[in-house]
Amino acid sequence: MPCGLYSPFFLRLARVSLAENPVWTPLVTFLGLVTCSVPLLLKADLLKALSAFAKSRDIASTLWYYVEMAQVIPTAPSTSKFPQRGIHTDLEEVESRSEEYPVSRGFLELLNALVEVDVPLHLGAPNRTPGIDPYVKFVVESVLMKSHSRAYKKSSDKWQICELAVKFLHKLLMRYEPAVGDIQHRERDAPQQPGYSVLVAMLQDSPLLKMILYLIEESVRHFDEYVDFPERKACERTALSCLNIFNRCIQMQEIFLEMVRSEGSSLRVTSLGTLLLGVNQRTNRPDHMLKIAKFVSYGSEYMPDHAVEAASILAFVASIPSAQQQLLALFTEEPNDVIIRHGIVEILDDAFENEEQGRKVKLCLLKMLQQGVNLPHPSLVHFLLGFSIQKPLQKSQLQNPGVYGTPKNCLHSLLNILDENLKGLVDAAVVMEGYKLLHVILSHGTMSYPVLRFLKGNLRNFLVRHGEALPFSASPTMEQQNSTAHLLLCIAIDIRVSSLRGSTSQAQKLASVIFTSERTVDIADGEAGQRRDAGISNLLSRTFASITGMPFVSRPRVLALLDSVDVSQLAVPIPELELFDLGQLQSLLKECEMPSEDGGPSVVNVRHLQRRVERELSALEGTMALAQRQAIMQEFKIILKYSIEANGVKQQMWTRRCFIDSWRQLIETILLSTTNYSNDILVQIIQEVLRKCVQDSASQELNQPLCGLLVIAVTSLRVQAMKKQESELTDSLVAFLDERRTDLLSEIGMSPSALRVILKGIVEWILKTGPSAQRIRINLYTALIGCLRLSAVNPSRDSRGLGGGITAGLQAIGVETVLEYGDSFLSALFRDSASGHDVQRMLALSLLDTIISQAPIGPVASYAAKHGYIRHLLDILSGLDESLISLVCQELSVMAMKYLQLYSSIMSFFTRMAMTSRGSQLLLDCNLLGRLSEMNAFSHRPQAGTMDEYAFLSSPFHRFQEILFPAFSLCLAMLSGLGSEHRIIREQVLGFLLAHSETISSILRSGQTLNDLHHLEELSLLTNVISKATNIGIFPEVIHKGADGTNEIRDQIERLQTICLSLLPAYVPTDVAIDRVLRFSGVEDDPNSNIARHKATSMYLQVCLNLLNIVMNMTADGTRIYSRTVFTASFTMADFGAAFTGTRPQTTRSVALGVVVNIISAAAKRLKTTEVARDTLSRKLEVVESLPVDEINQFVSKMISEGSSISEKREAARQTLTKVVESQVVEITQCRFILEVSLVLLWKHMEAFVSTNDTMNASRLNISFDASFRFKEDITHYLDETFYKQVEEASKVSGTAGKPDDFNLLFIRRIRKIAQG
C-alpha cells in the first residue's frame, strides 16, 4: 500500500465512513495483515494507516479492542504450544538484524495516536490484569531501554524511535491525575490508571529515569558541538519530550507523595528534585542540573521551547533550600558560571522570533528569580542577580555592567526590561513579572538597601522616572494593573526606607511625584458622563472645584491612578441548564478549584473538570442516556465556558483588589513617613474614594481597603490641624490662656461645605453596606468620628484653668449633616452598638458619644428611649457582670479584655448622655444606677499590687479600677446633669455606694497609706462623688424619719462622712506632705516627672477639696446650713505633718479645728508659690526657641535628651511646658477653692465656739464651757497678723484683673472680728 493512500484518513468523515463500512472492515483487515508474515514496510504503512484511523474518538476505543484481540503484542497467556509472535518478535529478530525499524516506528505512532484520544482503563479484562501496562512495558523495556545498544543504518532512526517512545510516555503522564485509588489498587494487584507506573518509575532511581537523563545528556553533547547533524530535529524533539516529562512529574509529585504518606503505603518514592541532584554515573559528578540548565542558554536562538521547559525545571530545583550549596558549586565553577549566567541574561535581553515562546521563557526565568530571592544566603538566585556570595547581602556593591569588571547579570536585564516598558516595547506579562520581581527584591530585609542605592545612584533615580510614567494607561489591562500595583509598592518601600534612614529628600521627591498634577482628564469623555450621575457621586464631583478652586480637569497622579480602576462588582450569570443540577454543579466546581501559584484566588481547574465530566459520561448506560448524549455534550460545553469566564472574573477582581491595596499602602506610607503634601490633596483623595465607593455597583471586596485608607487620611488631617493649632497656641502665654475658640477646619484650610460633602459620603456608605460588612463599618465609624472631631472646636482654656465646654460653631454643621439621615442612620448605629463584632460595637458607641457631645441630645435620646436601646444596653451591661468578676479574680487572657473594653464603651456612652439633664433623666427612668448596684463586680476589690510598666496585661487591682472609675464618673455626670437639688438622683447614687459599702470603706481607709497615683485617683473620684451626693440639704425626710431602714441609711451615710473627716489631717496641702506622697507613689522615677508631679499634686489637692466639701456638708442639719460643728474647739493639734503614718483613722471628735487653720496656711502658701512658678514657666514658654540647652534638658525625658537633635528637644520642651503651665492653672484654681471652703468652716466654727456662753449651747455643740474659754484665749496666739497677711496676699492672687478676692477678704474680716472679741 503506497504511503500516499492513507493521507485522506486525516479527514474525520473519511475515517468514520471507512471504519464503519461492513464490507471493507479496514481495522480488522489491517490488523490481520500486521500479524501475518508480510514485508516490514507494508506492516509499517498499515500501522500508520491505523494511527490515522485512531484520531477519531469513536474509532480509537474500538481499535484498542482490536489491537488487544489481535495480540499485536502478546499480553495474555496462550494455551498454544507454539511461542507467541508479534511486533516484539519482529523487533528483536528482523529489524535488529536489518538495522532498520519501520514497524517499531509505525507501532509507536499508533500507540501515540491511541493515547492521544482515549486510554481504556479495563483493556484486556478478564483475560489478564486490566490496563495498558503491557504496552508501556514493551515501549520502555523493549524499545527505549535498548535503543542505545542497537545498531542503526541511519543514525536518525535511533532519535526517531526515542522521540516516539518518550512522547508516548509523556502523553500518558499528561492524561494521568494522581488518585488515592491507584495506591490502594497497587496493594491489591488491581489495575491502575495509565501513567501511574511511569510516574512511579520517574520518582525512583529506576532505569527509566536513568534513560531519560541519558537522552538529555546525549542531546546536550551533540548541541554543545554547535555543528549541524542529520538527526538534529529528532534529537531536539526527543530532548523536549524528556524535559516535558520532568515538568509533568514535578507538577504531580507533591500531591502524589502526600497521598503515599497519608495512605501509609510501602511504595518507596523520592522527590524528583533530589533525584536530579544525584550523581551522574557516566561522569561521577552531580551534574544532571548542569545539563538541563544548558538548554536555557540555547533558547534565544535555537530552542526556545526547550528553554521554557528547562527554566521550569531549574526554577523548581533552585527553590529547594538544601540544594543551594550544590547548585552554587556546580554553576559557579569555570566555565559554567559564564555560560549559565550569560545564557539566562541573553534570554532576558533578546527578542525572540516567536514572541509567545519568548514570553514563556522570560516569565519562567523571572518566576524562578522571584522564588529564590528569599532563600538563605548564598543562593543561586543571589548569584544570578549579581550579589556577592562571599559577603553579606547588605555589603554587596552593585555596579553597572563593565564598571570594575562587573559582568552583566539578571538584575541589569530586569531593569533594562522595565526601562524598555516605558517605550512600550515589552510584553505586558513580562513587565508584570519584572515589577513583581523588583518588589520582591525590595521587600527583602537585607537586599533592599544595596538595590535602592543602585537604583538612585547608577540609574538616574529609577523609581522616580517610572513613577512619573504612571499611569501606564487610562484603561489598563490586568497585566498593566498588576505592574502598576508592584511599582507602587516599590515606591512605598523606597519612601519608608529613605525616611527611616534620614534621606528625607528622596522620600519627599517620590511623594511629590505621586501627588503632583501631571495628567488632565477630558470632561467630554465618558468619564464625565459618569460624574454627572445623581447622588453623592455628582455632589462630590461638583463640590471639588468649588471648594478647592482647582479646575476639575487637573488630576493629580494619585487620583489618575485611582481613575484607572473600576470598583464595580463583576459577576458571570449562572447558565440555565436542563440536564445538570445546579447545586451539584456548584459542588463539582468547588471540588475542581485549585490554589493559584502566585497567591491569587482559587480558580477552577478546567482540565480537571473536563476529565471528571468525561469519566461520568463514559460511565453512562442505557438507551436514554445514549440518546441524550449530544444534549449533554452541549450543556457540558456551556459549563466549561462558564468556568472559564468565572475564572476570568475572579482573576480580574483579584487584580483590582491588589491594585487598590497597593495604592492604599502607598498613600498611607506617604502620610506616615513624609510631610511633603498639602491638606488639599488629602481632601481630594477622601472625596474621590467616597465618590467611587458609594456607587450602587461598587464591590464590597474592593471597598474594604479603601475604607481603611479613609481612616488614615482623616486622621492625618486631624493631626496636621492639631499640630498647627498647638504651634499657634504656644506662641505666647496670652494666646494660650485666652478664651478664644479656634476650629480645626480653619487650621487645614477646609471649608464647611467640603466637610459636609465628606460626611454625607461616609454616612451613605454606612447605610449602603449591610450588617455583615463589619470590617468596612468599623473603618467607616472610625473615619466618621474623626470627621466630627475635625468639626469640633478646641475646648477653651481660660486663665483660671477651669476649662470651657464645646460651644456651637462649625461642629453644628457636622452633626446636623449626620442627623439629616434621621432614623435610618440612628437605627444602623444603635443596632451595631447592641450586636455584632465587639470592635464594631465599641466604635458605634464611641460615635454616639461624639454625636451627643456636639449636638442636642434630643434626637438621639428620643430614638434610643423609644426603641428600647437604652434598656438593651443595660441588659448587656448586666450580662457582663460575671465576665468582669472573672477579669478581677482569675487569670486573664488577652481575649478576655474585650469584655472590659465593651464595658468601658457602654459606660462612656452613658456618661456622655448623663451630662445633660434630659439624658440623665432618661438613665434615671431606666434605673441605671439600680442595675449598677446589683452588679457584683464592684464588690470584688482585690488587694493592691504593683504593676510592671512593661507588662502587656495590667494587674487585677488596676483592672478593678478600670471597672470602678467609669461608674464613679457616671455618678458625677448624673449628679451634675440633674442638679444639686434633685433628690432621687442623690438617693440612687448613695444607694449605689451603700450597695458596695465594703469596697467604698476599703478605698477610704486605704487613703491613709497611698501606694501609687492610682490609689490617689481612686480616692479623688470617690470623695468627689460623696461630696456631691451628701450635699447640704440632703434628705431631710430621710434623715429624721424614725423607721428602722431610715436609721440604717442615716448611720451608713454618717459612717462614710466620719471616715472622710478622719482623712482630712492626712491631706493638709503642705510641701512636706505632697513631697511624701510623690515619693511614695514613685512619681520621681517617671520619665516625664515634670508632668507626673503636677498631675499627682492636682489629685492630692482635689482630695483635700473634696474632703472639705464633705465636712461642709456635715455641718448641715437637715435643711439648716452651718447648724452644727464637726471639729473640736482646739488649736493645739495644728501640726499634722506626721499624720501620714498609716495608723488607724482618728474618731470624729479627735479632729481639731487647728487642721483647718493649717489647711488655710498651706493653701495660701501654695497658691502664691504656684502663681510665681506659672509666671516663670510662661515666660520660658514664650522664648523656648532661645533657651540654652541645659535648661531645655530639664523639661525633656532622659531618652529624648540623649538621642535627639536640638530641634526635637525644643519641641518636646515646648509640649512639656505647655502641659505644666496648664496643670499649674488647675492647681491655682484648686487652692483658691480650698482657701474659700476652709475660711467658711473656720469662721462658722469660731462663731459657734465663741458664742457658747451657757451650758445649754455648750451641750448642743458638744463643748464644755471651760473648753470654750480656752479656745478664746488661743485664738490670738494661733491667728496672728502673719496668718491674716498670708491669706490677704493669697486672695490677691486668686482674684481677677489684679484685684483681691472679695469673698476671702469678707471672711477674713469676720474671723478677725471674732478673734478681737
Side-chain angles (χ1 to χ4, degrees):
M1 179 184 293
C3 294
L5 183 62
Y6 58 80
S7 58
F9 292 121
F10 288 96
L11 298 175
R12 180 178 180 278
L13 183 59
R15 291 196 298 266
V16 174
S17 299
L18 289 174
E20 295 179 354
N21 193 303
V23 178
W24 297 338
T25 60
L27 301 182
V28 177
T29 304
F30 289 178
L31 282 173
L33 291 174
V34 168
T35 58
C36 296
S37 178
V38 295
L40 294 181
L41 292 178
L42 178 58
K43 281 188 179 183
D45 288 338
L46 290 171
L47 291 171
K48 290 180 180 179
L50 290 172
S51 65
F53 276 111
K55 295 182 181 295
S56 295
R57 179 176 299 273
D58 297 335
I59 302 175
S61 57
T62 304
L63 189 55
W64 268 116
Y65 173 75
Y66 288 156
V67 170
E68 177 69 20
M69 293 300 294
Q71 290 290 291
V72 176
I73 292 179
T75 60
S78 174
T79 59
S80 175
K81 60 180 180 179
F82 299 102
Q84 292 180 310
R85 305 181 63 87
I87 292 180
H88 181 271
T89 305
D90 292 338
L91 172 62
E92 297 294 339
E93 298 181 2
V94 182
E95 292 183 321
S96 297
R97 189 180 298 114
S98 64
E99 299 181 0
E100 292 182 339
Y101 306 89
V103 177
S104 298
R105 290 201 307 270
F107 186 66
L108 290 174
E109 289 182 8
L110 175 60
L111 289 179
N112 276 280
L114 290 171
V115 170
E116 184 74 27
V117 178
D118 185 28
V119 179
L121 182 61
H122 300 282
L123 182 66
N127 299 325
R128 62 176 178 85
T129 302
I132 66 168
D133 282 347
Y135 300 93
V136 177
K137 182 179 180 181
F138 167 76
V139 173
V140 173
E141 297 181 0
S142 300
V143 179
L144 186 60
M145 300 302 300
K146 297 181 179 180
S147 59
H148 65 288
S149 60
R150 289 193 173 102
Y152 299 91
K153 282 187 177 180
K154 297 180 181 178
S155 58
S156 60
D157 286 352
K158 171 186 174 181
W159 288 106
Q160 289 175 1
I161 290 177
C162 290
E163 173 198 350
L164 292 171
V166 174
K167 188 181 293 184
F168 170 73
L169 300 178
H170 175 239
K171 288 180 179 180
L172 289 178
L173 289 173
M174 291 302 296
R175 296 189 63 87
Y176 177 63
E177 293 291 341
V180 177
D182 294 332
I183 302 173
Q184 297 173 345
H185 292 165
R186 174 184 178 274
E187 305 297 335
R188 301 193 302 265
D189 197 22
Q192 293 93 12
Q193 294 187 55
Y196 168 81
S197 58
V198 181
L199 177 61
V200 171
M202 292 299 297
L203 296 181
Q204 295 175 342
D205 190 17
S206 63
L208 176 60
L209 175 64
K210 294 177 181 178
M211 186 62 194
I212 299 295
L213 291 172
Y214 166 76
L215 293 175
I216 289 179
E217 184 177 358
E218 280 295 300
S219 59
V220 168
R221 184 178 62 80
H222 284 292
F223 298 146
D224 279 346
E225 295 176 357
Y226 291 95
V227 176
D228 196 13
F229 53 97
E231 61 273 16
R232 178 181 183 84
K233 292 299 181 182
C235 182
E236 289 179 0
R237 292 191 293 268
T238 303
L240 180 59
S241 295
C242 292
L243 296 174
N244 287 334
I245 288 176
F246 282 132
N247 270 315
R248 181 56 183 165
C249 292
I250 290 172
Q251 293 171 10
M252 295 187 294
Q253 71 166 5
E254 184 175 354
I255 300 175
F256 187 78
L257 293 175
E258 180 62 29
M259 289 180 180
V260 172
R261 286 191 293 266
S262 62
E263 290 297 318
S265 174
S266 60
L267 180 64
R268 302 188 64 179
V269 287
T270 310
S271 171
L272 188 58
T274 304
L275 296 173
L276 291 177
L277 292 171
V279 176
N280 185 351
Q281 295 181 357
R282 292 166 59 87
T283 61
N284 290 325
R285 296 180 58 213
D287 58 358
H288 293 307
M289 285 307 304
L290 180 62
K291 310 298 183 182
I292 294 175
K294 285 190 175 182
F295 282 99
V296 179
S297 61
Y298 304 149
S300 59
E301 295 183 6
Y302 305 108
M303 293 173 283
D305 291 331
H306 296 68
V308 173
E309 300 299 328
S312 298
I313 301 171
L314 182 61
F316 166 72
V317 179
S319 65
I320 303 175
S322 59
Q324 300 307 308
Q325 295 296 333
Q326 184 174 339
L327 290 176
L328 276 175
L330 184 63
F331 288 166
T332 55
E333 65 179 7
E334 296 183 357
N336 297 334
D337 56 342
V338 177
I339 295 174
I340 301 302
R341 183 167 57 189
H342 177 72
I344 295 176
V345 169
E346 190 177 37
I347 285 182
L348 292 175
D349 286 342
D350 289 355
F352 285 68
E353 293 183 3
N354 189 326
E355 294 182 359
E356 181 64 21
Q357 291 177 335
R359 185 179 70 87
K360 286 182 178 181
V361 67
K362 289 181 180 181
L363 291 177
C364 232
L365 291 174
L366 291 173
K367 289 179 180 179
M368 178 192 73
L369 296 174
Q370 293 170 16
Q371 295 172 359
V373 166
N374 293 313
L375 290 175
H377 179 73
S379 70
L380 175 63
V381 171
H382 298 156
F383 164 72
L384 296 176
L385 288 172
F387 289 89
S388 173
I389 58 176
Q390 285 83 24
K391 298 186 296 183
L393 287 173
Q394 61 269 25
K395 294 185 179 181
S396 298
Q397 297 292 330
L398 302 177
Q399 300 291 345
N400 285 326
V403 177
Y404 300 113
T406 302
K408 191 171 184 178
N409 52 54
C410 294
L411 181 61
H412 299 138
S413 300
L414 168 66
L415 300 177
N416 288 340
I417 290 174
L418 299 182
D419 278 336
E420 290 295 319
N421 174 59
L422 301 183
K423 305 174 185 177
L425 303 178
V426 186
D427 181 81
V430 175
V431 173
M432 177 187 72
E433 294 298 332
Y435 278 118
K436 184 177 180 180
L437 174 58
L438 183 60
H439 173 220
V440 172
I441 293 174
L442 295 184
S443 300
H444 193 275
T446 53
M447 293 176 67
S448 59
Y449 183 65
V451 175
L452 286 174
R453 186 175 59 221
F454 176 69
L455 295 179
K456 285 183 282 191
N458 298 49
L459 295 176
R460 298 178 294 109
N461 217 329
F462 177 89
L463 291 178
V464 171
R465 290 190 291 108
H466 284 249
E468 291 173 346
L470 293 173
F472 295 136
S473 173
S475 300
T477 61
M478 290 175 56
E479 290 81 4
Q480 289 175 329
Q481 284 185 344
N482 279 321
S483 300
T484 305
H486 292 300
L487 176 57
L488 294 179
L489 291 175
C490 292
I491 295 174
I493 292 172
D494 195 1
I495 291 175
R496 186 61 179 165
V497 172
S498 300
S499 176
L500 293 177
R501 292 183 174 270
S503 179
T504 57
S505 60
Q506 174 69 7
Q508 303 286 9
K509 187 181 297 183
L510 287 169
S512 64
V513 167
I514 298 300
F515 283 159
T516 51
S517 301
E518 294 292 339
R519 179 174 178 264
T520 59
V521 179
D522 188 2
I523 295 279
D525 290 344
E527 185 178 359
Q530 297 176 2
R531 296 179 184 275
R532 298 189 184 97
D533 292 342
I536 189 65
S537 301
N538 185 26
L539 181 60
L540 286 168
S541 302
R542 290 186 286 103
T543 307
F544 173 76
S546 61
I547 294 171
T548 63
M550 184 182 295
F552 183 70
V553 293
S554 179
R555 300 290 286 169
R557 182 172 284 108
V558 62
L559 298 183
L561 287 169
L562 189 58
D563 290 339
S564 64
V565 62
D566 184 9
V567 297
S568 300
Q569 178 66 49
L570 298 178
V572 180
I574 299 177
E576 297 181 0
L577 304 175
E578 296 180 357
L579 302 177
F580 286 87
D581 181 71
L582 290 179
Q584 295 182 356
L585 174 61
Q586 293 297 335
S587 301
L588 177 62
L589 294 178
K590 193 70 177 176
E591 293 175 3
C592 294
E593 284 187 355
M594 58 175 292
S596 178
E597 295 180 357
D598 56 357
S602 297
V603 294
V604 176
N605 187 339
V606 180
R607 182 177 174 183
H608 182 55
L609 173 64
Q610 182 177 4
R611 290 178 178 172
R612 285 279 301 270
V613 177
E614 286 178 352
R615 285 200 297 268
E616 294 292 334
L617 292 177
S618 62
L620 289 177
E621 297 179 356
T623 56
M624 182 63 69
L626 296 176
Q628 292 182 340
R629 186 179 183 86
Q630 190 64 27
I632 293 175
M633 292 303 297
Q634 291 297 326
E635 289 198 355
F636 175 52
K637 292 179 180 178
I638 296 175
I639 293 173
L640 292 179
K641 182 180 179 182
Y642 168 76
S643 302
I644 295 172
E645 292 177 354
N647 288 344
V649 167
K650 282 186 179 181
Q651 291 286 357
Q652 194 167 356
M653 292 298 293
W654 176 261
T655 300
R656 293 180 182 180
R657 171 67 185 266
C658 292
F659 178 89
I660 292 175
D661 196 56
S662 301
W663 183 83
R664 174 192 62 82
Q665 291 185 48
L666 174 60
I667 304 304
E668 291 178 359
T669 303
I670 293 176
L671 297 181
L672 297 175
S673 303
T674 70
T675 58
N676 188 28
Y677 58 87
S678 65
N679 294 321
D680 290 340
I681 193 66
L682 287 184
V683 176
Q684 295 178 48
I685 290 173
I686 293 172
Q687 290 178 330
E688 191 67 20
V689 168
L690 291 174
R691 182 185 69 82
K692 279 185 168 290
C693 294
V694 299
Q695 298 173 3
D696 293 336
S697 60
S699 167
Q700 286 192 6
E701 180 185 0
L702 302 181
N703 285 355
Q704 188 169 319
L706 289 177
C707 66
L709 173 63
L710 201 64
V711 176
I712 300 296
V714 172
T715 304
S716 298
L717 281 176
R718 190 162 180 265
V719 169
Q720 291 294 328
M722 294 177 68
K723 284 183 178 179
K724 291 183 180 180
Q725 195 176 60
E726 286 182 4
S727 63
E728 291 178 1
L729 289 175
T730 55
D731 284 342
S732 65
L733 176 64
V734 176
F736 180 78
L737 296 178
D738 67 7
E739 296 188 11
R740 294 177 298 165
R741 274 81 170 174
T742 55
D743 64 280
L744 299 181
L745 290 182
S746 62
E747 300 295 340
I748 59 176
M750 185 177 179
S751 67
S753 57
L755 176 66
R756 187 180 182 86
V757 170
I758 292 174
L759 289 173
K760 279 181 172 290
I762 296 177
V763 175
E764 288 192 11
W765 194 352
I766 292 174
L767 296 177
K768 175 180 171 290
T769 57
S772 59
Q774 297 188 27
R775 181 172 295 183
I776 294 179
R777 283 201 170 183
I778 286 172
N779 287 322
L780 292 179
Y781 284 151
T782 307
L784 188 55
I785 292 171
C787 288
L788 290 176
R789 290 179 179 175
L790 267 177
S791 67
V793 297
N794 192 43
S796 65
R797 299 165 175 162
D798 58 29
S799 58
R800 298 182 300 171
L802 287 173
I806 297 179
T807 62
L810 286 175
Q811 59 180 356
I813 299 175
V815 177
E816 288 175 2
T817 303
V818 171
L819 294 180
E820 283 179 3
Y821 291 87
D823 291 353
S824 60
F825 176 68
L826 292 177
S827 175
L829 198 54
F830 275 106
R831 188 168 56 248
D832 287 344
S833 68
S835 62
H837 194 277
D838 296 314
V839 177
Q840 176 180 285
R841 296 165 70 181
M842 289 185 282
L843 285 171
L845 290 167
S846 179
L847 179 55
L848 287 169
D849 187 340
T850 305
I851 293 174
I852 293 174
S853 69
Q854 299 183 19
I857 195 175
V860 178
S862 299
Y863 186 87
K866 179 181 178 182
H867 293 82
Y869 282 110
I870 294 179
R871 295 188 182 277
H872 185 66
L873 290 175
L874 288 177
D875 293 338
I876 295 175
L877 201 61
S878 300
L880 292 174
D881 190 27
E882 294 297 330
S883 300
L884 295 178
I885 293 175
S886 66
L887 286 175
V888 177
C889 302
Q890 300 176 7
E891 290 295 328
L892 178 66
S893 64
V894 178
M895 294 301 296
M897 289 296 291
K898 66 181 181 180
Y899 302 116
L900 182 58
Q901 300 298 328
L902 181 59
Y903 164 81
S904 301
S905 299
I906 296 175
M907 294 295 288
S908 177
F909 170 63
F910 285 154
T911 303
R912 181 67 68 180
M913 281 190 65
M915 289 181 180
T916 62
S917 58
R918 183 173 182 181
S920 295
Q921 189 61 50
L922 283 173
L923 296 177
L924 194 63
D925 295 341
C926 293
N927 194 26
L928 169 59
L929 291 175
R931 292 290 190 95
L932 294 180
S933 300
E934 296 171 357
M935 291 179 64
N936 295 322
F938 301 108
S939 300
H940 288 74
R941 184 174 188 262
Q943 294 294 326
T946 59
M947 176 183 175
D948 184 3
E949 60 177 327
Y950 299 105
F952 180 75
L953 299 177
S954 57
S955 65
F957 178 75
H958 291 86
R959 294 199 295 271
F960 175 78
Q961 288 187 328
E962 292 182 34
I963 298 172
L964 186 63
F965 287 0
F968 285 163
S969 300
L970 177 61
C971 292
L972 291 172
M974 295 186 71
L975 288 168
S976 300
L978 291 175
S980 60
E981 302 300 327
H982 200 285
R983 182 183 62 83
I984 299 178
I985 182 60
R986 292 186 183 183
E987 184 180 13
Q988 292 203 7
V989 170
L990 283 173
F992 167 71
L993 295 178
L994 297 178
H996 308 289
S997 56
E998 293 185 5
T999 298
I1000 303 303
S1001 300
S1002 175
I1003 295 173
L1004 292 175
R1005 289 192 174 91
S1006 65
Q1008 292 282 359
T1009 55
L1010 294 179
N1011 295 324
D1012 55 22
L1013 291 182
H1014 297 285
H1015 285 81
L1016 191 60
E1017 184 180 4
E1018 187 179 49
L1019 185 62
S1020 174
L1021 283 172
L1022 176 57
T1023 53
N1024 198 4
V1025 173
I1026 296 175
S1027 68
K1028 287 181 170 56
T1030 59
N1031 202 351
I1032 297 172
I1034 179 173
F1035 313 145
E1037 69 282 3
V1038 174
I1039 295 226
H1040 294 289
K1041 283 181 181 178
D1044 295 339
T1046 302
N1047 290 332
E1048 182 180 354
I1049 294 176
R1050 182 191 60 190
D1051 294 342
Q1052 290 181 354
I1053 294 174
E1054 288 185 351
R1055 185 168 61 87
L1056 292 179
Q1057 291 176 331
T1058 301
I1059 298 175
C1060 292
L1061 177 60
S1062 68
L1063 286 175
L1064 189 59
Y1067 289 90
V1068 178
T1070 61
D1071 292 339
V1072 176
I1074 293 178
D1075 289 342
R1076 186 182 294 113
V1077 172
L1078 297 178
R1079 186 169 61 256
F1080 288 167
S1081 59
V1083 171
E1084 301 297 336
D1085 300 329
D1086 195 303
N1088 299 317
S1089 58
N1090 289 308
I1091 300 173
R1093 282 179 60 86
H1094 288 281
K1095 180 181 178 181
T1097 302
S1098 177
M1099 284 192 291
Y1100 185 91
L1101 294 174
Q1102 186 63 44
V1103 172
C1104 179
L1105 179 58
N1106 294 338
L1107 293 175
L1108 288 171
N1109 286 329
I1110 294 172
V1111 174
M1112 182 71 77
N1113 297 336
M1114 294 174 66
T1115 62
D1117 184 11
T1119 57
R1120 294 178 298 172
I1121 304 175
Y1122 314 136
S1123 61
R1124 64 192 180 115
T1125 60
V1126 294
F1127 295 103
T1128 59
S1130 173
F1131 291 105
T1132 57
M1133 298 180 65
D1135 186 10
F1136 291 93
F1140 218 41
T1141 59
T1143 58
R1144 289 178 60 83
Q1146 305 173 53
T1147 62
T1148 303
R1149 292 304 168 189
S1150 67
V1151 180
L1153 186 61
V1155 174
V1156 180
V1157 176
N1158 271 4
I1159 290 175
I1160 293 173
S1161 299
K1165 180 181 178 181
R1166 177 159 290 276
L1167 184 62
K1168 188 174 180 179
T1169 56
T1170 305
E1171 176 66 19
V1172 173
R1174 186 192 70 172
D1175 293 340
T1176 302
L1177 293 180
S1178 298
R1179 286 190 294 270
K1180 288 185 178 182
L1181 182 61
E1182 292 179 347
V1183 295
V1184 67
E1185 296 297 335
S1186 58
L1187 288 178
V1189 178
D1190 293 339
E1191 290 192 38
I1192 290 293
N1193 290 334
Q1194 297 176 5
F1195 301 103
V1196 297
S1197 63
K1198 184 178 180 181
M1199 182 176 61
I1200 296 178
S1201 177
E1202 293 177 352
S1204 303
S1205 63
I1206 184 62
S1207 60
E1208 293 174 341
K1209 292 180 182 179
R1210 291 188 187 278
E1211 181 61 28
R1214 181 196 299 276
Q1215 295 176 4
T1216 302
L1217 284 171
T1218 301
K1219 294 178 180 178
V1220 170
V1221 170
E1222 190 175 12
S1223 299
Q1224 289 176 336
V1225 171
V1226 176
E1227 291 176 23
I1228 291 173
T1229 303
Q1230 291 170 332
C1231 290
R1232 179 170 62 83
F1233 283 134
I1234 290 173
L1235 194 60
E1236 291 178 359
V1237 178
S1238 300
L1239 287 172
V1240 173
L1241 285 172
L1242 178 62
W1243 164 71
K1244 192 58 187 175
H1245 279 77
M1246 287 179 62
E1247 185 181 44
F1249 293 149
V1250 171
S1251 63
T1252 307
N1253 297 324
D1254 51 46
T1255 306
M1256 183 177 296
N1257 287 335
S1259 177
R1260 182 175 60 84
L1261 297 173
N1262 293 322
I1263 181 174
S1264 65
F1265 182 81
D1266 294 338
S1268 175
F1269 181 76
R1270 287 194 302 270
F1271 178 79
K1272 293 176 184 178
E1273 290 181 348
D1274 291 341
I1275 288 178
T1276 56
H1277 176 70
Y1278 288 99
L1279 303 182
D1280 54 7
E1281 288 299 322
T1282 303
F1283 172 79
Y1284 297 130
K1285 184 178 180 181
Q1286 187 180 28
V1287 176
E1288 288 174 354
E1289 290 178 354
S1291 299
K1292 293 179 181 180
V1293 174
S1294 64
T1296 57
K1299 297 180 180 180
D1301 192 335
D1302 295 335
F1303 182 85
N1304 293 343
L1305 294 180
L1306 171 63
F1307 282 95
I1308 284 294
R1309 287 195 297 269
R1310 290 184 178 183
I1311 294 171
R1312 188 192 294 270
K1313 183 178 179 180
I1314 295 173
Q1316 293 175 355

